[in-house]
Amino acid sequence: MRRIVVVGASMGGLRAAEQLRAAGFTGDLTVVGDEPHRPYNRPPLSKEVLAAEVTHEAVAFRMRASVADVDWRLGMPVVSSDLAARTLTLLDGSSLAYDGLVVATGLRARRLPQPGLEDRRHVVRTLDDAVRLRGCLVPGARVVVIGAGFVGCEVAATARTLRADVTVVCAAPEPLMSPLGPDLGAELRRRHEARGVRFLLGRTVTAFGDGGPASADVLLSDGTALGADVIIEAVGSTPCVSWLDGNGLDLSDGVLCDADLRVEGRPDVVAVGDVARFPNPRYDGVCRRVEHWSIPTDTARKAARTLLGVDSPPFAPLPSFWSDQYDLRIQSFGAPALGCDDIRVLEGDPATECAVGYHRDGELVGVVLLGLPGAIPRYRKQLMDAFTAPAPISG
Amino acid sequence: MKIIVDMDRCQDHGQCVFSAPDVFRLNDEGHLEYEETADESLRDAVEEAADVCPLQAITIEG
Ligand SMILES: Cc1cc2nc3c(=O)[nH]c(=O)nc-3n(C[C@H](O)[C@H](O)[C@H](O)COP(=O)(O)OP(=O)(O)OC[C@H]3O[C@@H](n4cnc5c(N)ncnc54)[C@H](O)[C@@H]3O)c2cc1C
Ligand code: SF4
């Protein structure tokens, strides 16, 4: 393999390049990305960086010395691909040939379909999004956050810390409902409310106003009308896979991979990070995408070795995730979403600090900690030990 | 190899501890303590620790 091209220049793309070098690849490495920036860290964009100065320097990833000779093609999306001919077409019409391909194009923020008030509407996925939003978060600004997942809740907390007037709208009966369950969701809502954030739950947005002086800027399904200077759409994200269209791949939710992260049926293509849909034998054979910060690094290590044909242990990562809201750190290990029917408080008190266990068929599959930093190693080890990878099948 | 942690950035996530327990540890108060130099044989582990630090607070020199 002489030339490997990585598409997507964020965390997954960078880690893939580094791991290809670590696994012994000495050929040409090109990383193509549509953002103009070198890889940077996204979690701070909804948290501390948004509250302070938003610059590339503050969030840039440290890079290993081994990728100093990578050819970065930034600000240049790949628009289409021909996997049979092993060529990519870039936006400027040029084409790029490869022997090996790494898919690392991640996700882009979903937008609400209703038109109107485009100049007040924001998403938080990229550095440029965060820079634009930061300028609008001033004391007293009326901020409406739509969606109460992690990004929505974090942005609400940050905007409130900057003394904006914050309302969160969400369709579910509690914030963070689907990953954490109703009890922890309610507990987190109470913490936000104690800081002055208002929640309008079980409601969706039906329309945006016309921007006139007395306009109802955000209209909700129950008839509520809200005034808004800043509208933040935090309604999830969509995999960036259109550049892979026409190659007969399953792109229904990211790109479908086998247990070694090979894109199905393609020995010369692997996928990493948020865009990869892969099975995790730690849980079952179901292929899932995992939007956690730990995944680009874990998948890159495995995928690089798969692409180069270097032996590596079976892939069964323990997902982990954290979120910071005010002075509270939420830390998750394993797959709480798979154990939402059987949630038990393992220690502590949800009103202060606690550990909560998520069980499937009586077995612990995920732990979420509110605070309790001292308990992390213990629960992490318990979840790690709960699974022993099967020996690889030889032959 | 020399290890530098930007303690203004570090938020005691402890991820580095899982990757390179010989170099990084959390003390009884849950705060990070670390060795400022490490043997070359630990390079892989230390590189991995720097990769997984959520705040990207770890730099390696030499
Ligand atoms: C605001 C925010 C806060 C977060 N906070 C946390 C947190 O606290 N904890 C946590 O565990 N996780 C968090 N995450 C999730 C974490 O950041 C992601 O899991 C991680 O960024 C995934 O990396 P990736 O490289 O797979 O994808 P991405 O970071 O999405 O990168 C994909 C890159 O590919 C580029 N691209 C897309 N299409 C093309 C194309 N056709 N051609 C060229 N380039 C293309 C994109 O522009 C992008 O730069 C957060 C995410 C966001 C957005
Ligand atoms: S992983 Fe980073 S933030 Fe966490 S303790 Fe280590 S250096 Fe500090």
Side-chain angles (χ1 to χ4, degrees):
Chain A
M1 211 168 266
R2 300 234 316 275
R3 177 193 242 180
I4 297 180
V5 175
V6 179
V7 183
S10 177
M11 187 182 197
L14 170 63
R15 295 290 182 247
E18 292 175 332
Q19 289 299 325
L20 285 163
R21 288 285 185 245
F25 178 65
T26 54
D28 294 341
L29 254 178
T30 302
V31 182
V32 190
D34 70 352
E35 290 184 72
H37 311 286
R38 291 264 180 131
Y40 60 86
N41 199 14
R42 295 192 198 280
L45 301 181
S46 48
K47 312 180 180 72
E48 62 272 13
V49 165
L50 197 53
E53 39 140 26
V54 189
T55 62
H56 183 260
E57 197 195 342
V59 289
F61 273 118
R62 183 196 83 94
M63 293 193 199
R64 293 191 182 189
S66 63
V67 294
D69 62 351
V70 163
D71 174 15
W72 297 93
R73 307 265 181 100
L74 301 176
M76 181 56 67
V78 171
V79 290
S80 63
S81 55
D82 181 340
L83 301 188
R86 295 188 178 151
T87 52
L88 306 174
T89 305
L90 311 190
L91 185 65
D92 64 1
S94 63
S95 65
L96 196 57
Y98 64 81
D99 303 309
L101 177 66
V102 181
V103 177
T105 41
L107 313 175
R108 64 167 179 278
R110 259 191 64 210
R111 311 279 332 213
L112 291 172
Q114 292 85 354
L117 293 183
E118 279 76 12
D119 56 340
R120 297 185 205 175
R121 290 165 66 176
H122 296 257
V123 291
V124 195
R125 180 82 201 170
T126 67
L127 179 61
D128 296 349
D129 294 338
V131 169
R132 174 170 172 256
L133 174 60
R134 178 63 186 92
C136 305
L137 295 178
V138 294
R142 294 166 307 162
V143 174
V144 174
V145 179
I146 303 162
F150 280 106
V151 170
C153 287
E154 288 177 357
V155 175
T158 307
R160 189 63 201 132
T161 305
L162 293 166
R163 291 185 289 126
D165 172 356
V166 182
T167 304
V168 178
V169 176
C170 109
E174 290 293 353
L176 296 167
M177 177 84 178
S178 68
L180 298 185
D183 295 346
L184 272 196
E187 179 49 41
L188 289 166
R189 172 176 52 75
R190 283 191 285 275
R191 293 181 191 222
H192 278 271
E193 286 170 345
R195 309 271 178 154
V197 172
R198 182 158 69 121
F199 282 83
L200 298 173
L201 301 163
R203 278 165 262 212
T204 54
V205 172
T206 51
F208 294 106
D210 60 12
S215 123
D217 299 319
V218 183
L219 281 171
L220 305 186
S221 48
D222 67 339
T224 309
L226 300 169
D229 304 308
V230 182
I231 299 164
I232 303 173
E233 298 173 43
V235 289
S237 23
T238 332
C240 299
V241 289
S242 59
W243 63 280
L244 287 165
D245 279 345
N247 290 292
L249 301 177
D250 178 344
L251 303 175
S252 53
D253 180 23
V255 30
L256 184 63
C257 302
D258 67 14
D260 297 324
L261 298 168
R262 205 176 285 108
V263 172
E264 285 224 314
R266 297 274 162 194
D268 50 355
V269 186
V270 293
V272 300
D274 280 3
V275 77
R277 179 154 56 102
F278 59 88
N280 189 341
R282 184 177 286 280
Y283 303 108
D284 47 39
V286 179
C287 296
R288 299 185 181 88
R289 289 191 311 99
V290 186
E291 297 176 23
H292 288 6
W293 195 87
S294 62
I295 290 299
T297 302
D298 290 339
T299 49
R301 190 175 300 124
K302 178 70 184 181
R305 286 162 181 82
T306 297
L307 192 58
L308 298 174
V310 175
D311 270 350
S312 60
F315 186 59
L318 180 73
S320 78
F321 182 94
W322 84 98
S323 174
D324 293 326
Q325 297 172 33
Y326 311 105
D327 50 3
L328 177 70
R329 170 151 312 148
I330 304 162
Q331 188 98 44
S332 157
F333 296 101
L338 299 183
C340 266
D341 296 336
D342 183 359
I343 304 176
R344 304 175 212 161
V345 175
L346 303 174
E347 71 176 89
D349 175 358
T352 53
E353 293 189 276
C354 67
V356 177
Y358 296 73
H359 304 76
R360 184 171 68 177
D361 303 328
E363 223 177 292
L364 187 69
V365 289
V367 173
V368 171
L369 300 170
L370 298 192
L372 282 189
I376 292 173
R378 192 158 29 92
Y379 287 114
R380 189 176 178 277
K381 184 167 185 318
Q382 191 178 339
L383 286 166
M384 283 296 250
D385 293 351
F387 171 79
T388 340
I393 303 154
S394 53
Chain B
M1 140 185 60
K2 223 175 134 217
I3 298 158
I4 301 158
V5 179
D6 179 345
M7 294 309 273
D8 292 336
R9 278 199 187 194
C10 171
Q11 292 184 1
D12 302 315
H13 269 267
Q15 296 297 328
C16 52
V17 179
F18 299 122
S19 298
D22 295 337
V23 176
F24 303 94
R25 67 194 151 285
L26 294 181
N27 66 19
D28 293 343
E29 278 90 60
H31 295 308
L32 179 71
E33 290 174 356
Y34 67 102
E35 307 294 332
E36 288 176 9
T37 54
D39 188 78
E40 198 50 37
S41 62
L42 291 172
R43 178 170 294 271
D44 274 358
V46 175
E47 290 272 12
E48 187 177 308
D51 285 354
V52 300
C53 169
L55 281 305
Q56 294 289 288
I58 302 172
T59 352
I60 303 163
E61 280 180 6

